[in-house]
Amino acid sequence: MIPVLHNRWKIQGRNLVYYGIRRKPYTLKNRIRLSKKDRNIIQSLDGKHSLAYYKTTRTFLKLISQGIIIDTASQTALPESFDDAVFCKKCIANDFMIPGIEFDENGLCPMCANEVHFRKYKSIIPSIKNIPRSRQSRFDVALFYTGGKDSSFLLYYLSIKLKLRVLALTWKTPYMSDSALQSIENAKRALPNVTFMSKKIEPALLAPVYNKLYELQGNTCACPSLAYLLYLPVLVDEKIPYLVLGNEPVQMKNLLFNGMAPPIAFIFAKNKWLYLLANIGRLFTFSKPLYRGQFQMLATLSQLAYGDHPLKRLLGYQNTLLSNICTAIKESPELLERFKLYLKRSRRSGSFPALVHIDLNEIAEANVYDWSSVKDLLQKEIGWVDTGSGHKSLHTSCKIERCKDYSQLVSFRNMHSDVIPFSAIELSLAVGTGNVSKEQAMAELRTHSGFSLTPPVETEIMLKELHYKNANPVSSYRGCSDKNTGEEK
């Protein structure tokens, strides 16, 4: 054996980091702490000397047994397209759109192999089914509403099924799809009992944020983070008790596979004792106790305002996408200071809503959030408008979703970012859990996704908002493939 480090592993500081998704039982173990001696041995591997040449340690031999240190002849190149990729036997996960994904002896990807074990990890914020009528506000619940499939289904459920007084909050981005905009207008006519509010961020304040995001991650994806900055004053002034996000189950579980939330984060949302301990700490600062969901809301707002908590970084868990957004917001001081001022006034009093999750599987017919059935229901009940071809089901409200797919793919492929492409994980999970058929997911993957080594045509839409008049979308962003080198209405 001539040992070399597997080409999806990289030494970063004191850690060995994997850029991929490991097979069961190592799926959530993408980071291995190494001693200085082991780091030196690995860094000395030159692909020329046999194993006997090196003074191996117990850790080094363990790395061999796990396929982290391999024979140089076993090193393989990444596929260049879907046609060259290896696919999971059950879902549509493959090693082109998820470089470094490992399959078990049965040909199953880590999402499918771990499906039963990870089934209990549903949400990092409290999950509820029913929301009581509020006596303190004219609204029972607020919803971040984009006009897309998921937030539209929640709007339908909250307003029609539960008959609640709903405040639908829309952050009007420059990238909203035509179908989403028409869906919003149709919903206004179909749901007269819902109050709709639309706000946008002034272009002068938004442009520097978008420019920084593009520099950091090759796309301007910031949903729904900037919506909090727009709507915190409304949520507090209206004394709204609950804020619901339009996330479906696979989006929540993506946080687990992406290493953005540890398993304990999913447990905290349901643990009463942890809430009690946290409230004891607030009592010492003469702050009002918080209830379930308010902790998560405060944590979200605080991170947007001040960045990651040191403890989070110490534990090795970081939501890179959210960290990029926090960094980008600093480029617009006026926008950030407005937000900080309102947050400071509300955090001590506890006068902000609980951030809650509604599991769409649990409220859907037969407890399966079937994408096709949901689309049919929404078209009939609230005039929802599907995308042009009708084959797209993920993130239907955005014009530049393919730009996110592309930039996340090439950046992760080149090991410049630890963010595994979101849609790749979400589509694979959706097939495994029965939300969409394998055939439908494959059609979406090949027709509507941005998983390619060539920038999508929608890149021009994004660049217009960046004011990069002469920018080359391939070379402007370091994560690209080496081959291709508000106002209220």
Side-chain angles (χ1 to χ4, degrees), residues 125 141-155 158 166-172 176 184 195-197 199 222-235 240 242-247 297 300-301 304 339 353-356 397:
I125 57 179
V141 62
L143 166 72
F144 280 163
Y145 175 53
T146 66
K149 167 179 61 65
D150 303 325
S151 64
S152 293
F153 182 72
L154 276 172
L155 182 64
L158 295 170
V166 182
L167 176 59
L169 304 173
T170 298
W171 168 31
K172 194 169 183 181
M176 293 183 75
I184 292 173
T195 300
F196 293 85
M197 185 178 292
K199 286 179 176 287
C223 296
S225 297
L226 298 188
Y228 290 99
L229 276 67
L230 274 177
Y231 284 112
L232 179 60
V234 175
L235 295 169
I240 295 173
Y242 297 98
L243 172 66
V244 180
L245 303 184
N247 292 328
M297 184 70 169
T300 299
L301 298 175
L304 289 172
F339 176 62
L355 184 63
V356 295
S397 62

Side-chain angles (χ1 to χ4, degrees), residues 8 64 78 91 108 143 149 173 197 207 217 231 273 417 427 443:
R8 297 305 298 173
I64 293 176
L78 294 174
C91 72
L108 296 180
L143 166 72
K149 167 179 61 65
T173 77
M197 185 178 292
Q217 61 190 31
Y231 284 112
W273 292 107
S417 167
L427 261 178

Side-chain angles (χ1 to χ4, degrees), residues 8 12 17-21 30-31 97-99 216-219 221 254-255 257-260 318-325 404-426 451 477 479:
R8 297 305 298 173
Q12 292 182 188
V17 179
Y18 188 60
Y19 287 78
I21 308 180
N30 277 22
R31 188 176 295 267
M97 70 177 186
I98 307 179
L216 292 171
Q217 61 190 31
N219 61 63
C221 181
N254 171 47
L255 299 176
F257 285 98
N258 240 307
M260 294 179 174
Q318 178 176 328
N319 186 327
T320 303
L321 182 61
L322 187 54
S323 295
N324 288 342
I325 292 171
K404 185 177 76 173
D405 292 342
Y406 164 76
S407 57
Q408 288 184 344
L409 171 64
V410 295
S411 186
F412 187 71
R413 180 185 174 95
N414 292 335
M415 300 165 74
H416 292 156
S417 167
D418 60 359
V419 177
I420 304 168
F422 280 16
S423 294
I425 294 178
E426 292 164 5
F451 294 118
Y477 170 51

